[in-house]
Amino acid sequence: MAEELKGNQFEGKGEYVVDVFEEIAEYYDKMNGIMSIGMVKGWHRFMFKKAGDISGKKVCDVGCGTGEISFMAAERVGKDGEVIGVDITPGMLAMARKKMATLDLPKDVDFREGDALNMQFDDNTFDLVTSGYMLRNVTDIQQAVNEMHRILKPNGKCIVAELSKPKNKLLLFGYNIYVFHIVPWFGRRFDKGKKINGKQPAYDWLTSSLEGFPHGNDMVKIFKKAGFEDARFYVKSMGAVNIYVATKTQ
């Protein structure tokens, strides 16, 4: 590797991550299906099961990518609700808008370019904040969670899906083979091994970004530090993914 990217932090990470997602925007959804073995939509449905009835509510999907979670939210809030999808990568937003043009949603999602670490919304704006697989890509996880808490209304929920690691040693062995060897091999069909900014190819980064990334109770501590007194997580797919659910108290 030309430049070692250890753990979850390195110099120039913010710019690098934007360039990675610009590079993979066109095939992001296809690789998500491969990486999740087709389970990603089930994880998203579970998120909205935990959200409860959000008809007529205002939702912000942070790090919305190509819009999959945003579209689920739009279907559930209906024509009287509002969904805003925020992402720092123009290419991902362009794909989200392209996909939305093919959908029959009750109301379009308002996709906006923005930074999860400094969102341009007033305090206490949203009833629900969602996010999927974004936190491992930001330069300051705590600040991103702080912002989610800030823009939520009192009693609003924050629901975040993030990759994790199985605790069972046998499952972890198989997981490591799949994530660190098979996924990058599949990724070569798309990223062609092209280095981004002289660093790793896209799908090498998307797997190595898990190194040093907090999950489980360590992530819950981050939510509680942000002000979420009620924070918990649900283990999905034998530990490959955690769904974090937190409520902003009065």
Side-chain angles (χ1 to χ4, degrees):
M1 191 185 303
E3 180 177 336
E4 201 69 27
L5 306 184
K6 294 182 178 179
N8 203 254
Q9 301 294 334
F10 60 88
E11 185 178 355
K13 175 180 174 179
E15 180 182 353
Y16 172 72
V17 167
V18 171
D19 290 344
V20 164
F21 284 96
E22 282 288 340
E23 184 72 23
I24 68 174
E26 289 189 12
Y27 47 84
Y28 177 79
D29 289 331
K30 187 174 290 187
M31 268 303 292
N32 260 8
I34 293 171
M35 290 172 68
S36 71
I37 321 176
M39 294 185 287
V40 65
K41 289 187 181 297
W43 300 337
H44 296 168
R45 285 193 293 269
F46 181 83
M47 292 173 69
F48 285 101
K49 180 180 178 181
K50 290 300 173 185
D53 182 8
I54 58 170
S55 55
K57 301 297 186 180
K58 189 168 184 176
V59 179
C60 183
D61 185 25
V62 186
C64 63
T66 61
E68 288 298 300
I69 295 174
S70 301
F71 298 142
M72 280 193 173
E75 290 169 351
R76 287 159 175 79
V77 301
K79 61 182 177 60
D80 295 325
E82 181 180 3
V83 179
I84 298 176
V86 177
D87 201 281
I88 201 169
T89 310
M92 299 293 272
L93 292 171
M95 287 300 300
R97 294 184 183 106
K98 182 177 179 180
K99 287 163 59 178
M100 185 166 63
T102 69
L103 302 175
D104 184 20
L105 297 174
K107 187 176 181 179
D108 280 353
V109 176
D110 179 3
F111 288 111
R112 305 182 186 181
E113 188 175 340
D115 187 349
L117 305 184
N118 183 26
M119 289 189 281
Q120 302 303 300
F121 301 114
D122 292 336
D123 297 356
N124 309 317
T125 297
F126 296 96
D127 301 290
L128 173 67
V129 170
T130 59
S131 185
Y133 330 106
M134 176 203 71
L135 289 178
R136 73 185 189 280
N137 295 309
V138 300
T139 56
D140 189 334
I141 296 168
Q142 185 66 65
Q143 176 60 18
V145 178
N146 290 351
E147 279 289 273
M148 292 179 191
H149 182 272
R150 180 185 67 78
I151 66 174
L152 266 176
K153 296 177 182 177
N155 297 320
K157 282 186 179 180
C158 178
I159 304 180
V160 173
E162 266 300 348
L163 299 183
S164 183
K165 290 184 179 181
K167 290 185 176 180
N168 180 282
K169 290 184 178 179
L170 182 61
L171 289 175
L172 181 60
F173 177 75
Y175 171 91
N176 285 336
I177 291 174
Y178 184 73
V179 168
F180 294 105
H181 297 282
I182 296 176
V183 167
W185 179 80
F186 268 115
R188 287 295 173 270
R189 297 170 54 190
F190 300 101
D191 69 21
K192 310 300 181 186
K194 175 185 174 183
K195 292 182 178 180
I196 311 294
N197 298 350
K199 299 181 176 71
Q200 291 174 308
Y203 280 96
D204 284 6
W205 157 250
L206 291 176
T207 54
S208 68
S209 64
L210 290 168
E211 297 176 17
F213 180 69
H215 55 88
N217 287 322
D218 289 336
M219 184 65 81
V220 166
K221 290 177 183 177
I222 291 173
F223 276 85
K224 289 187 174 181
K225 186 175 180 180
F228 291 103
E229 293 183 12
D230 176 19
R232 65 193 70 185
F233 69 97
Y234 298 86
V235 177
K236 308 301 292 182
S237 302
M238 296 180 289
V241 166
N242 287 335
I243 309 295
Y244 300 91
V245 180
T247 303
K248 182 174 180 176
T249 55
Q250 289 283 1

